[in-house]
Amino acid sequence: MLLIPCPHCGERPEIEFTYGGEAHLVRPADPSTLDDAAWADYLYMRTNTKGVHAERWRHARGCGRFFNALRDTTTDQFLGSYRIGEPKPALSMGEPR
Amino acid sequence: MSRWRTASGGRIDRTRALAFRFDGVRYEGLAGDTLASALLANGVHLVGRSFKYHRPRGIVTAGAEEPSALVAVRRDGARETPNLRATQVELYEGLDALSQNRWPSLARDVGRINDWLSPLFPAGFYYKTFMWPKSAWKSVYEPVIRRAAGLGVAPTEPDPDRYAQCYAHCDVLVVGAGPAGLAAALAAADQGARVMICDEQSEFGGSLLADRHATIDGASAAAWVARAVADLAAHPRVVCLTRTTAFGYFPHNLIGLAERLTDHLDAPAPQAARERLWQVRARSVVLATGAVERPLVFPGNDRPGVMLAGAARTYLNRYGVRVGDRVVLVTATDAGYQAAIDLRDAGVAVVGIADLRPTVSGELPAAARAAGIEVTESATVLGTSGNRRVAGITIARTTSAGTGGDRRTLACDAVLMSGGFTPSVHLFSQSRGKLRWSDDHQAFLPDRSAERERSAGACRGATDLAAAIADGLEAGAESAPTRTAAARRITARSPRSADRGYLGAVPLASDASQKSFVDWQHDVTIKDLAIATREGFRSIEHVKRFTTMGMATDQGKTSNLNALAIVARAIDAPIPSVGLTTFRMPYTPTTFGAFAGPSRGDLFDPVRRTPIHAWAAAAGAVFEDVGMWKRARYFPERGEDMHAAVARECRAVRSACGLFDASTLGKIEVVGPGAAEFLERLYVNSWANLGVGRCRYGILCREDGFIYDDGVIARLAADRFHVTTTTGGAPRVLAMMEDYRQTEWPDLEVWLTSTTEQWAVIAVQGPDAREVLRGCVEGIDLDAAALPHMSVAAARICGIEGLVMRVSFSGELGYELNVPADHGLGVWKAVHAAGAAHGITCYGTETMHVLRAEKGYIIVGQDTDGTVTPDDAGLSWAVGRKKPDFVGRRSLQRQSMQAPDRKQLVGLRPRDGRTLLDEGAQVAERPDQRPPMRLVGHVTSSYQSAVLGVPIALAMVAGGRARLGQTLYIPMPGGDVEVEVVSPVFYDPKGERINA
Amino acid sequence: MSKQRFSALSLLRRSLGGHRSWEPQWRKSEPKPAYDVVIVGGGGHGLGAAYYLAAEHRVGRIAVVEKGWIGGGNTGRNTTIIRSNYLFAESAALYDHSVKLWEDLSQVLNYNVMFSQRGVMMLAHTVHDVQVFKRHVHANRCSGVDNEWLTPEEAKAFCPPLNIDPDIRYPVLGAALQRRGGTARHDAVAWGYARAASELGVDIIENCEVTGIRRDAQGRVEGLETTRGSIRAGKVGVSAAGNTSAVLSLAGVRLPLESYPLQALVSEPVKPVFPCVAMSNTIHAYISQSDKGDLVIGAGTDAYTSYTQRGALHINMHTLDAICELFPMFRRLRMMRNWGGIVDVTPDRSPIIAKTPVPGLYVNCGWGTGGFKATPGSAHLFAWTIANDAPHPINAPFTIERFRDGHLIDEAAAAAVAH
């Protein structure tokens, strides 16, 4: 069970959270201007990063808020987390525990 | 007292004799014994049969690494536990143990024939045969293999025992309470840390419990342990857990502990939990897991009576048991000599020591020689003798030519072996720490940590007692969050010992006719490993899988490193390049019940009940599970089956009035200046134009355009919507709403609140509904003009402030009364009483389903399946055409979503007017097809319509709406059923009743 | 290498020589400079594809490159359940193609893969489950795939340890049984394909990780960079399961995939006690008993993507509480070993066996939690697709483009959720 750093509440066990998938996928402002391929890209294509992955979590059984986190998918160590709307931090922001 | 029990010493209680049985024979042991020590004290060495060859097997070790002595322990019919290690089973009065994998008896086991036929059963033989004739695999070969395999017998009755679980947090978790672990815990506690220390054994002390020679802080090992344990126990910030195995190391320093609470008691309290599973989140972890002595791989090394030297020493010093009268030591370590010396001091004849090393010097060998024990250097073992117990051993000297010289056979009744020590790096490796090969230690040692963790003592190669204790002290102090107190010092002295050991088969073993076992339990010999490498299996993982080496219940604790060395030698590669098999949890087998814990019966998953549940249950309702909810499915009256009850309930609703508990509907309040815009963007419908006090049926799609949920949404105020969802859908709809609100549209001022549990919902449906409610509802006009279909108003309902929604899922004049959940039952009872004069009838979900199907209303998840668009379901009227965007809109614009041959919702009527279709039945265009048939759809809902007197069905059929009037075919095992495609609205197509 | 047939007779004969005359089951190959087809990924799917390319399509020089040891990925990390009673015709055809190949595989490969058709029973716990499984039963019957409905009593008769007490939290309301379903020996599948392929001249190159995919000026694949040097290749087929995204990103190809941890565990071995395979999707329990006697139990995926090949403790706890609820006599048995794999999951949980946008580059991925059962069928169809540069009719629906066009094959959505 991961220990997940909620930027609002601090570290909490994984069972308090729901996973929200890849971060920074922004819903197109006007989807009707996209062709089918571009729309499918938004809907389905994922980087599936092997390494440091920016991802969304929701502290569903805590503060209820979504946030973004950086996690190394080859070790499951978190490098940090940040609030929705904040830019993805540079990688030097934290050391893995 | 048995003649194998010493006169004094040890940690057993000589005043408390305990009777126990093994295979039905009564024996006596002492309090403090394990089953293994008690059996040895009675001279019993034969305790089991091996997995494949059914060879007689004895006790090899004195601990958790035991590969051989597995037994079943039976308390009663439901409490029989197979595959327990006799070395870990604590003796209690009346213990009843059984040997395994033998028939008809342990002493005479017909399975032994496998041993004589063993040339036919080398590693992996089953991949090469049993293929002809093909049909015989299932009928003959596999059943025979299955019967032969397996070890113990699984219980057949439900386990009545209880299992507990808990969480804990600490600064420092110390795993292992041997010298290094005790030192670490003391040092961490000195610094004020919150410490937990656990050990798998019944008492703390580890190797010190069997050490007669060491002195620590001037005291004997036993005295020091007692003091350390007392200090820790008295410390307010230290938790000590005995009989507790750290079985798994999970990410971010979560350690799983399994604590055995009652297995050592003769009469556990009936309510006492048998085991407790701890999930410990530790700031730091100190692994003081020690090292396991390695067997030597020589011909005939598996006979009962052949055991590890350290185990023999433990049986003597800790349990007061001599493992034999005449013993031979085969060793590659100095530590082995300690066992020989201790046994000799206890009056056992040590008839010889065969040391594999070319020259032997040092404190312990010198002491052995001084005691007159003959030591043979450059020795090897050519074989052993004895049937159910070792009776002799043949040793020789290896010469430069490689052949054995000075061949001698020594009569003995026990053989001790000491091949070196394998650090227990299981948990370290589970934590994803990196191991490195140490030539000095001939072992893999912890290198780089992945977690905040530190190994200490023998598990990182510090086998010398003083070094292990110093390492533990350092680890404990380092792991504490703060270092304020002065560092503790402990002085220790034990005989110096050179224990680099020996890896792989002894010289000349491969020439011997007797088998040399590497993995006792799975009967893997050096020949099997040779076959594996010959057949091209080079990676140790391949060798393991091909030979099953290390895959038995001991997971190779005593065998892995020897196997690795043998394979490395066979393919002429350095050991590290052959690799190391992965360490996986659990460290030792861990009870399923401990993982499951209290999660059983009603606690398996929370049960959600409505406020009206108890009333419905008292009224005889039959319930169904919908999500976590229990919903009343129907209310049978005397003698009715479901069909009769449902028909009666349906008629009542259509002709008079029905009462239905709709409290499980999901409810979400969407509030704020942005509420209308929020729903506008989310749902397919238009919301801006919905007047206050009005309701609308809403459809929610996923971004892929498929229906996700539906429900009526009421506008309570300009900035306040009461959204209802399907019963199972509320959590996921709320989660989806939160996702869009927080991450896509933070610009909208809107708040979401789940109100599912806050409102009880009572549906009153039927032509008499208005009349029934007239006496119940105050403050609003119920007439159609004032409160038309799809409207909502606040009112007093049976004296309670609530909401009256005029909505209908039955097609009749209908109301849904929303009252605070605490008043749900009271209002329900009041309405029920008020309706008595109208013959008000309670109905359940089954009738609700029939009524809605008669009206062609879909159930999301039954008529839709995650591949259905609003248009497919005939709901394109609900889609806001003029909206620029909503979730799913772009996907619905794809060509495939508008194809004319998409499956569309239609009604089906059997041509014969009688046949009730099977839900899930398939729909075909052409009759009389054979598989594979061309199919055009499937039946989603099917009921006997009471009001129409015929069966009706809803179906998803390709291009269905263009097929009205067509005949289609439902292929059933008994033949096709002819159906006519009709509108899905079977009843009151003009909607006159609903608007009454 | 001379062909050494496996049989009871050969076993007997070689036992007289102390089994000293067995030869390596597959050649240890060094990479050659060039091949006609290189398969990336030495699991069952990749080795099988190489075998069928050699045996049925005779495409010339073929190699399989594997970054570790063959069969070390999901092939060796699953619960070996085999069935084909899928709902959609496309899926049922795909998996049934596989089951038919399984039925002869031991004989075809001359390697006993221990395909054991002991029956796979899927348990229904709610009215909704009953509706879904009956739809499966009808759809399968009409497609010629065996699948039958059992009452709780019939389910109990077929699987005696099953708890059909109507008062448990989620009582068993019935079951869908596919008698042709069962299990097989996972390692044997990889080794059997490797041996048969090797005998047909396929080079099997272990400890060889792909680090680059080379393309010519027109964008066509022309070779691979590996940790063991450059390899020219006319065609490259990627069959890399959880690592597919990483491998294909080397060619700039993006896929609708996410990789999740999936765990499984075994109990200590016991005498035969569980005669079939039982699955419960509703409460997440998957169990059978291996020929060795272990109860083999599948857990669910973890919630988050990961390449660590391990999962969380609470996932196992949930799996075992479900097992103990359905089979309460197993509560005293003990977990012997737990492990994790990396499963690659598509948005509709159906696989992709297709050409990629890069000419000469093919992909077989997205098998999620159900890849083992498909091994022979998947391999066979992938070989066909590579050899013909076009899909076989059975895998034609399983393209990458279906996500763009909306032609999803969504078994999980079809099983839907409680209403």
Side-chain angles (χ1 to χ4, degrees):
Chain A
M1 193 192 307
L2 305 180
L3 201 55
I4 299 175
C6 171
H8 307 281
C9 307
E11 288 187 329
R12 292 289 187 278
E14 183 192 334
I15 48 173
E16 294 183 10
F17 296 81
T18 50
Y19 184 65
E22 188 171 332
H24 304 298
L25 299 171
V26 180
R27 189 173 189 274
D30 185 358
S32 62
T33 59
L34 269 58
D35 65 15
D36 282 357
W39 178 246
D41 212 66
Y42 163 70
L43 277 187
Y44 297 125
M45 292 299 172
R46 299 293 178 263
T47 57
N48 201 18
T49 308
K50 190 173 185 176
V52 178
H53 187 229
E55 62 193 16
R56 309 182 325 147
W57 289 89
R58 182 175 176 224
H59 195 184
R61 290 161 207 91
C63 65
R65 282 189 268 195
F66 278 87
F67 60 90
N68 293 329
L70 296 178
R71 180 178 53 95
D72 186 338
T73 59
T74 64
T75 64
D76 287 341
Q77 297 296 328
F78 283 95
L79 297 138
S81 63
Y82 49 104
R83 297 170 185 222
I84 291 292
E86 291 177 353
K88 183 169 154 182
L91 274 184
S92 57
M93 67 162 283
E95 292 294 312
R97 278 191 313 274
Chain B
M1 193 73 68
S2 100
R3 71 185 182 87
W4 289 283
R5 190 75 78 173
T6 59
S8 64
R11 306 185 67 81
I12 39 67
D13 180 352
R14 289 167 194 272
T15 65
R16 281 180 57 214
L18 301 175
F20 70 100
R21 293 152 77 88
F22 178 60
D23 277 346
V25 179
R26 191 179 179 284
Y27 298 98
E28 207 164 81
L30 294 173
D33 262 329
T34 62
L35 175 60
S37 68
L39 286 169
L40 292 172
N42 285 278
V44 177
H45 278 251
L46 171 63
V47 295
R49 291 276 172 172
S50 65
F51 191 84
K52 186 171 165 188
Y53 299 140
H54 290 249
R55 288 169 68 95
R57 287 288 164 77
I59 295 159
V60 179
T61 75
E65 69 275 24
E66 174 62 36
S68 177
L70 300 185
V71 298
V73 173
R74 180 171 59 191
R75 281 187 190 270
D76 55 46
R79 291 185 175 87
E80 180 167 338
T81 314
N83 298 337
L84 296 174
R85 293 162 180 71
T87 52
Q88 287 186 296
V89 173
E90 292 178 53
L91 204 65
Y92 54 81
E93 175 66 29
L95 182 135
D96 187 8
L98 299 159
S99 62
Q100 301 187 148
N101 204 36
R102 78 289 185 270
W103 186 85
S105 74
L106 181 57
R108 294 174 212 291
D109 174 17
V110 299
R112 184 70 197 272
I113 193 170
N114 288 359
D115 196 18
W116 302 321
L117 296 175
S118 62
L120 292 175
F121 307 136
F125 72 97
Y126 30 75
Y127 299 124
K128 300 185 171 105
T129 182
F130 305 135
M131 289 179 280
W132 184 89
K134 189 174 143 188
S135 61
W137 171 249
K138 187 175 178 187
S139 57
V140 182
Y141 300 132
E142 191 181 33
V144 169
I145 290 173
R146 286 174 82 84
R147 265 201 300 281
L151 277 172
V153 177
T156 52
E157 287 177 49
D159 180 4
D161 278 338
R162 299 156 68 99
Y163 298 86
Q165 292 177 341
C166 64
Y167 291 93
H169 298 261
C170 62
D171 294 322
V172 183
L173 170 67
V174 180
V175 179
L182 287 172
L186 289 167
D190 286 346
Q191 304 297 336
R194 289 177 306 151
V195 176
M196 292 180 72
I197 176 169
C198 67
D199 194 281
E200 64 190 357
Q201 299 210 32
S202 59
E203 54 179 328
F204 283 2
S207 60
L208 297 175
L209 298 175
D211 199 325
R212 290 198 299 126
H213 304 282
T215 54
I216 308 174
D217 280 350
S220 71
W224 182 80
V225 167
R227 210 164 65 216
V229 169
D231 283 356
L232 290 171
H235 204 293
R237 291 166 74 83
V238 176
V239 175
C240 298
L241 296 169
T242 54
R243 300 186 176 91
T244 302
T245 303
F247 65 83
Y249 201 131
F250 303 91
H252 305 173
N253 267 2
L254 183 79
I255 317 296
L257 310 180
E259 182 183 11
R260 293 173 297 282
L261 299 166
T262 62
D263 270 6
H264 62 291
L265 303 175
D266 54 357
Q271 295 302 307
R274 179 175 173 237
E275 296 189 19
R276 179 185 294 130
L277 184 135
W278 294 72
Q279 293 183 74
V280 180
R281 185 79 71 173
R283 187 179 165 280
S284 301
V285 174
V286 175
L287 296 175
T289 47
V292 164
E293 194 173 15
R294 232 173 13 249
L296 285 163
V297 179
F298 57 81
N301 59 351
D302 70 324
R303 280 182 219 283
V306 180
M307 66 170 65
L308 291 169
R313 189 167 163 234
T314 298
Y315 288 119
L316 181 71
N317 293 340
R318 181 167 172 187
Y319 301 104
V321 175
R322 287 182 286 258
V323 297
D325 295 327
R326 292 172 57 81
V327 304
V328 172
L329 170 70
V330 186
T331 187
T333 70
D334 288 0
Y337 287 80
Q338 186 74 69
I341 292 164
D342 286 3
L343 283 164
R344 183 186 164 283
D345 290 351
V348 175
V350 179
V351 293
I353 294 179
D355 198 315
L356 273 68
R357 295 171 293 183
T359 52
V360 183
S361 57
E363 197 176 334
L364 288 166
R369 284 176 166 133
I373 304 173
E374 188 185 340
V375 177
T376 306
E377 293 171 336
S378 295
T380 192
V381 178
L382 301 178
T384 64
S385 62
N387 187 9
R388 288 169 213 150
R389 178 160 175 191
V390 68
I393 181 166
T394 303
I395 62 171
R397 289 173 69 91
T398 50
T399 64
S400 51
T403 52
D406 295 342
R407 185 190 166 107
R408 280 185 306 149
T409 297
L410 306 172
C412 59
D413 58 3
V415 171
L416 317 185
M417 52 187 171
S418 180
F421 292 86
T422 306
S424 289
V425 293
H426 302 73
L427 290 173
F428 173 78
S429 181
Q430 281 186 36
S431 79
R432 297 300 168 99
K434 293 278 175 286
L435 297 165
R436 73 181 164 85
W437 173 254
S438 164
D439 268 329
D440 284 349
H441 295 84
Q442 289 288 292
F444 287 98
L445 296 180
D447 190 11
R448 212 174 61 244
S449 291
E451 300 277 358
R452 190 177 292 160
E453 160 280 334
R454 161 81 146 80
S455 295
C459 67
R460 67 186 281 257
T463 42
D464 175 71
L465 180 63
I469 289 178
D471 199 25
L473 286 175
E474 191 181 305
E478 246 174 39
S479 303
T482 55
R483 290 183 77 165
T484 48
R488 179 188 285 250
R489 293 174 66 91
I490 298 173
T491 56
R493 157 85 190 126
S494 66
R496 289 169 60 84
S497 176
D499 297 330
R500 198 160 172 266
Y502 184 89
L503 285 170
V506 302
L508 310 178
S510 54
D511 300 338
S513 59
Q514 291 181 15
K515 296 185 179 80
S516 300
F517 287 87
V518 182
D519 180 327
W520 268 244
Q521 196 177 126
H522 267 177
D523 283 333
V524 179
T525 67
I526 56 173
K527 284 210 169 76
D528 294 310
L529 295 173
I531 290 170
T533 53
R534 202 173 292 137
E535 294 201 49
F537 295 92
R538 298 291 168 90
S539 156
I540 195 66
E541 286 283 358
H542 274 160
V543 173
K544 171 186 130 184
R545 285 156 180 268
F546 186 71
T547 62
T548 73
M549 187 283 305
M551 293 175 76
T553 64
D554 60 325
Q555 293 284 292
K557 290 185 180 64
T558 53
S559 61
N560 279 342
L561 220 49
N562 277 328
L564 198 56
I566 290 165
V567 171
R569 188 152 179 207
I571 64 176
D572 197 20
I575 286 177
S577 79
V578 181
L580 184 64
T581 56
T582 318
F583 293 97
R584 295 283 185 182
M585 83 113 173
Y587 169 66
T588 48
T590 305
T591 308
F592 282 3
F595 289 99
S599 172
R600 61 206 293 180
D602 276 358
L603 296 180
F604 177 73
D605 204 19
V607 178
R608 298 178 80 180
R609 297 185 179 90
T610 74
I612 294 130
H613 183 94
W615 188 95
V622 174
F623 292 88
E624 68 165 322
D625 290 301
V626 182
M628 287 183 190
W629 288 100
K630 294 281 182 193
R631 299 196 76 180
R633 194 175 182 194
Y634 57 100
F635 289 80
E637 293 185 349
R638 193 188 307 271
E640 281 182 335
D641 63 5
M642 184 173 85
H643 295 288
V646 168
R648 173 179 50 75
E649 292 171 12
C650 284
R651 279 193 299 269
V653 177
R654 292 276 181 239
S655 64
C657 188
L659 192 59
F660 176 70
D661 179 9
S663 302
T664 64
L665 279 183
K667 293 169 277 291
I668 300 165
E669 208 151 276
V670 179
V671 181
E677 173 63 16
F678 180 71
L679 293 178
E680 194 81 15
R681 294 184 192 180
L682 209 56
Y683 278 72
V684 307
N685 319 63
S686 297
W687 301 99
N689 60 0
L690 182 68
V692 172
R694 300 291 296 172
C695 304
R696 185 165 284 166
Y697 171 68
I699 299 168
L700 181 65
C701 288
R702 298 180 302 194
E703 284 288 14
D704 62 10
F706 299 122
I707 295 175
Y708 193 55
D709 202 81
D710 68 350
V712 169
I713 299 179
R715 190 165 200 171
L716 304 180
D719 62 351
R720 182 174 294 261
F721 291 82
H722 177 95
V723 174
T724 67
T725 74
T726 57
T727 290
R732 60 176 181 265
V733 171
L734 183 58
M736 177 174 165
M737 285 182 169
E738 282 290 351
D739 193 342
Y740 280 91
R741 183 187 75 80
Q742 294 186 36
T743 70
E744 295 292 351
W745 307 320
D747 55 308
L748 292 179
E749 264 192 279
V750 61
W751 290 268
L752 308 171
T753 310
S754 165
T755 56
T756 303
E757 302 274 355
Q758 278 65 40
W759 293 112
V761 183
I762 298 161
V764 185
Q765 305 273 308
D768 294 348
R770 186 179 290 127
E771 293 315 309
V772 169
L773 289 186
R774 281 211 195 276
C776 302
V777 175
E778 300 166 76
I780 57 167
D781 182 354
L782 289 173
D783 282 345
L787 193 68
H789 180 49
M790 297 305 262
S791 54
V792 60
R796 285 180 72 78
I797 303 162
C798 305
I800 306 299
E801 298 293 338
L803 292 174
V804 175
M805 294 170 68
R806 184 169 167 196
V807 292
S808 169
F809 200 43
S810 64
E812 299 297 332
L813 166 65
Y815 300 88
E816 286 182 1
L817 310 177
N818 290 258
V819 293
D822 287 349
H823 296 287
L825 181 56
V827 172
W828 172 274
K829 285 180 183 168
V831 174
H832 189 253
H838 298 271
I840 198 165
T841 300
C842 299
Y843 67 99
T845 52
E846 193 66 22
T847 290
M848 178 267 282
H849 282 165
V850 178
L851 299 173
R852 64 88 203 174
E854 288 171 344
K855 288 291 292 177
Y857 298 151
I858 62 161
I859 299 263
V860 171
Q862 179 174 348
D863 301 291
T864 71
D865 62 6
T867 66
V868 174
T869 67
D871 184 61
D872 296 342
L875 299 171
S876 43
W877 56 266
V879 180
R881 293 282 159 214
K882 295 185 189 135
K883 288 169 55 163
D885 191 16
F886 56 80
V887 170
R889 182 172 183 272
R890 177 61 189 82
S891 289
L892 292 171
Q893 290 173 329
R894 292 177 297 185
Q895 207 171 11
S896 61
M897 295 295 142
Q898 292 156 21
D901 64 343
R902 288 191 65 82
K903 281 189 179 180
Q904 295 166 339
L905 184 78
V906 295
L908 298 179
R909 284 183 110 131
R911 287 280 187 198
D912 66 5
R914 291 185 276 111
T915 307
L916 182 66
L917 303 181
D918 226 13
E919 283 172 354
Q922 302 295 298
V923 181
E925 216 165 14
R926 288 185 292 108
D928 303 326
Q929 295 187 71
R930 295 177 157 284
M933 303 176 191
R934 213 185 96 68
L935 303 168
V936 295
H938 70 281
V939 175
T940 61
S941 297
S942 174
Y943 307 98
Q944 178 69 33
S945 167
V947 69
L948 300 173
V950 292
I952 58 166
L954 299 175
M956 294 298 296
V957 173
R961 289 198 288 270
R963 293 179 188 266
L964 293 187
Q966 261 187 26
T967 298
L968 295 175
Y969 302 88
I970 310 296
M972 295 298 288
D976 292 336
V977 178
E978 276 186 42
V979 294
E980 181 189 354
V981 181
V982 296
S983 156
V985 186
F986 294 90
Y987 185 67
D988 186 26
K990 291 192 184 137
E992 287 160 350
R993 303 179 69 89
I994 210 167
N995 288 306
Chain C
M1 182 170 71
S2 66
K3 192 169 164 97
Q4 46 174 2
R5 253 201 103 60
F6 287 165
S7 67
L9 198 64
S10 72
L11 200 59
L12 180 64
R13 206 168 51 233
R14 288 176 204 253
S15 75
L16 301 176
H19 298 283
R20 284 173 209 282
S21 58
W22 294 110
E23 289 165 18
Q25 296 196 1
W26 65 91
R27 287 174 293 113
K28 307 284 162 203
S29 303
E30 291 297 317
K32 295 194 182 78
Y35 293 93
D36 294 301
V37 179
V38 176
I39 301 289
V40 179
H45 291 245
L47 293 163
Y51 166 74
Y52 292 115
L53 279 167
E56 298 193 358
H57 304 286
R58 304 179 194 286
V59 295
R61 300 161 304 165
I62 304 165
V64 177
V65 295
E66 162 57 46
K67 73 172 175 158
W69 36 281
I70 65 166
N74 291 343
T75 299
R77 295 168 186 274
N78 64 84
T79 53
T80 79
I81 297 174
I82 294 166
R83 63 182 181 91
S84 64
N85 51 350
Y86 281 71
L87 179 60
F88 289 115
E90 296 91 333
S91 318
L94 175 65
Y95 289 101
D96 212 51
H97 181 63
S98 196
V99 168
K100 284 176 186 145
L101 291 170
W102 274 116
E103 284 171 338
D104 293 323
L105 198 59
S106 293
Q107 286 71 31
V108 167
L109 298 180
N110 178 231
Y111 207 101
N112 192 348
V113 300
M114 304 182 201
F115 179 44
S116 171
Q117 293 180 293
R118 58 187 62 244
V120 174
M121 201 170 72
M122 300 169 73
L123 303 172
H125 300 277
T126 65
V127 173
H128 178 72
D129 285 352
V130 173
Q131 290 165 338
V132 169
F133 287 150
K134 284 196 167 173
R135 184 177 166 197
H136 279 69
V137 167
H138 284 294
N140 291 150
R141 179 174 47 76
C142 294
S143 307
V145 174
D146 81 299
N147 196 7
E148 62 196 271
W149 180 252
L150 303 183
T151 64
E153 292 71 28
E154 289 168 335
K156 172 95 181 158
F158 192 72
C159 179
L162 181 65
N163 183 2
I164 58 166
D165 182 342
D167 292 327
I168 63 174
R169 179 68 183 87
Y170 292 109
V172 174
L173 303 184
L177 170 65
Q178 184 174 36
R179 292 184 191 274
R180 284 164 66 232
T183 58
R185 173 85 190 121
H186 52 10
D187 294 327
V189 179
W191 301 341
Y193 273 125
R195 171 170 168 267
S198 178
E199 276 173 3
L200 294 171
V202 173
D203 281 357
I204 293 163
I205 306 161
E206 296 177 88
N207 301 309
C208 179
E209 184 170 0
V210 172
T211 55
I213 298 177
R214 280 210 317 274
R215 299 165 68 177
D216 66 16
Q218 284 72 47
R220 191 184 163 79
V221 160
E222 61 174 12
L224 297 171
E225 299 297 337
T226 77
T227 51
R228 295 179 69 176
S230 297
I231 302 174
R232 286 200 307 281
K235 293 177 176 178
V236 171
V238 176
S239 206
N243 287 302
T244 303
S245 296
V247 173
L248 281 195
S249 70
L250 299 172
V253 175
R254 297 183 75 204
L255 287 169
L257 283 181
E258 291 187 294
S259 294
Y260 291 92
L262 177 68
Q263 299 180 78
L265 60 99
V266 291
S267 74
E268 296 180 296
V270 287
K271 291 294 177 191
V273 65
F274 204 83
C276 61
V277 181
M279 308 172 58
S280 166
N281 293 332
T282 298
I283 63 171
H284 304 298
Y286 312 91
I287 179 169
S288 63
Q289 186 174 20
S290 76
D291 285 344
K292 196 161 132 308
D294 316 336
L295 294 178
V296 182
I297 293 168
T301 53
D302 277 83
Y304 50 86
T305 63
S306 177
Y307 290 86
T308 57
Q309 293 193 327
R310 68 168 168 178
L313 172 59
H314 66 272
I315 303 284
N316 288 299
M317 291 166 74
H318 181 49
T319 298
L320 287 171
D321 66 25
I323 293 293
C324 291
E325 187 72 356
L326 286 176
F327 310 102
M329 68 288 291
F330 294 161
R331 210 175 283 268
R332 286 184 105 78
L333 295 184
R334 303 191 295 175
M335 182 197 292
M336 182 169 81
R337 186 177 174 88
N338 160 264
W339 64 90
I342 312 167
V343 298
D344 46 324
V345 180
T346 64
D348 64 0
R349 278 74 119 206
S350 285
I352 296 168
I353 315 173
K355 300 165 70 168
T356 71
V358 175
L361 183 64
Y362 307 83
V363 67
N364 180 4
C365 67
W367 289 96
T369 60
F372 180 74
K373 65 174 77 69
T375 305
S378 151
H380 188 251
L381 298 168
F382 195 39
W384 171 288
T385 304
I386 294 169
N388 295 290
D389 193 36
H392 185 282
I394 294 177
N395 66 308
F398 294 89
T399 60
I400 304 174
E401 291 74 24
R402 74 176 186 270
F403 298 100
R404 181 191 65 204
D405 300 337
H407 294 295
L408 305 191
I409 305 159
D410 200 337
E411 293 281 336
V417 272
H419 43 79

